[in-house]
């Protein structure tokens, strides 16, 4: 199963970067190319359950995710249903002189159709995730 870590430096304050990446309610408006549909199912304090259609490389994934935030340092995503059920994404936000360093740890659990496309090299999950991060960074820096 694909596990990887990414680091990205964003030239913006940590609070801004954190608020963008944890604003799953507005993913559809902010980056519709990656999230064509987002529906909030429940919110309790810093925990939300969200139904998301996510374009990941050449795949469209339907996922039910539990988002847990610890403002402004941590955003965790537990995939509790859908195409990559059991996956986990951890985003850490570290203040640095240049702005914010985002450290992302991804543990993707692939179902059979995704495993097959991964076997044949049709998807590079690390590159696909980095594209999403890059698009968030562009918004944060403007």
């Amino acid at each position: 199963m694909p596990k990887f870590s990414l680091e990205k430096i964003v030239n913006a304050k940590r609070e801004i970067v954190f608020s963008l990446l944890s604003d799953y309610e507005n993913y559809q408006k902010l980056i519709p190319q990656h999230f064509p549909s987002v529906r909030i199912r429940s919110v309790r304090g810093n925990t939300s359950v969200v139904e998301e259609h996510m374009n990941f490389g050449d795949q469209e994934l339907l996922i039910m995710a539990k988002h847990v935030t610890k403002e402004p340092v941590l955003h965790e995503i537990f995939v509790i249903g859908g195409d990559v059920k059991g996956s986990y994404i951890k985003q850490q936000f570290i203040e640095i002189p240049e702005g914010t360093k985002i450290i992302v740890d991804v543990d993707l659990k692939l179902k059979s159709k995704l495993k097959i496309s991964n076997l044949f090299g049709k998807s590079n999950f690390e590159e696909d995730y980095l594209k999403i991060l890059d698009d968030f960074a562009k918004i944060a820096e403007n």
Side-chain angles (χ1 to χ4, degrees):
M1 300 299 150
K3 281 187 180 188
F4 56 90
S5 293
L6 301 168
E7 284 190 14
K8 175 100 183 137
I9 306 257
V10 182
N11 188 9
K13 291 190 176 291
R14 177 169 64 176
E15 290 73 18
I16 292 168
V17 177
F18 175 85
S19 69
L20 268 174
L21 268 89
S22 63
D23 187 11
Y24 36 83
E25 210 170 328
N26 287 305
Y27 281 2
Q28 190 175 352
K29 291 177 194 146
L30 293 169
I31 52 171
Q33 67 274 32
H34 301 296
F35 291 91
S37 169
V38 175
R39 220 167 72 181
I40 307 298
R41 304 304 297 212
S42 75
V43 178
R44 286 194 182 95
N46 69 337
T47 303
S48 300
V49 175
V50 183
E51 181 184 299
E52 305 169 14
H53 284 257
M54 179 182 187
N55 291 326
F56 200 66
D58 58 356
Q59 305 280 335
E60 182 173 337
L61 306 177
L62 173 60
I63 60 175
M64 186 70 71
K66 181 170 89 171
H67 292 260
V68 180
T69 58
K70 292 185 180 110
E71 195 172 340
V73 295
L74 184 64
H75 178 208
E76 293 178 290
I77 303 153
F78 301 86
V79 181
I80 56 176
D83 294 326
V84 289
K85 182 180 179 180
S87 297
Y88 172 68
I89 300 168
K90 178 177 163 186
Q91 301 170 336
Q92 297 175 78
F93 304 86
I94 300 162
E95 245 178 319
I96 58 171
E98 305 89 86
T100 306
K101 180 193 281 190
I102 308 169
I103 300 172
V104 182
D105 295 308
V106 178
D107 181 5
L108 276 181
K109 305 288 187 213
L110 303 178
K111 295 218 171 153
S112 55
K113 71 174 184 171
L114 293 169
K115 279 183 188 171
I116 291 166
S117 73
N118 190 35
L119 269 177
F120 295 105
K122 288 186 182 163
S123 188
N124 182 335
F125 297 105
E126 220 168 311
E127 279 180 25
D128 296 339
Y129 198 90
L130 198 51
K131 285 178 190 161
I132 295 171
L133 266 186
D134 287 343
D135 288 343
F136 273 120
K138 285 177 199 159
I139 295 167
E141 292 174 344
N142 290 325

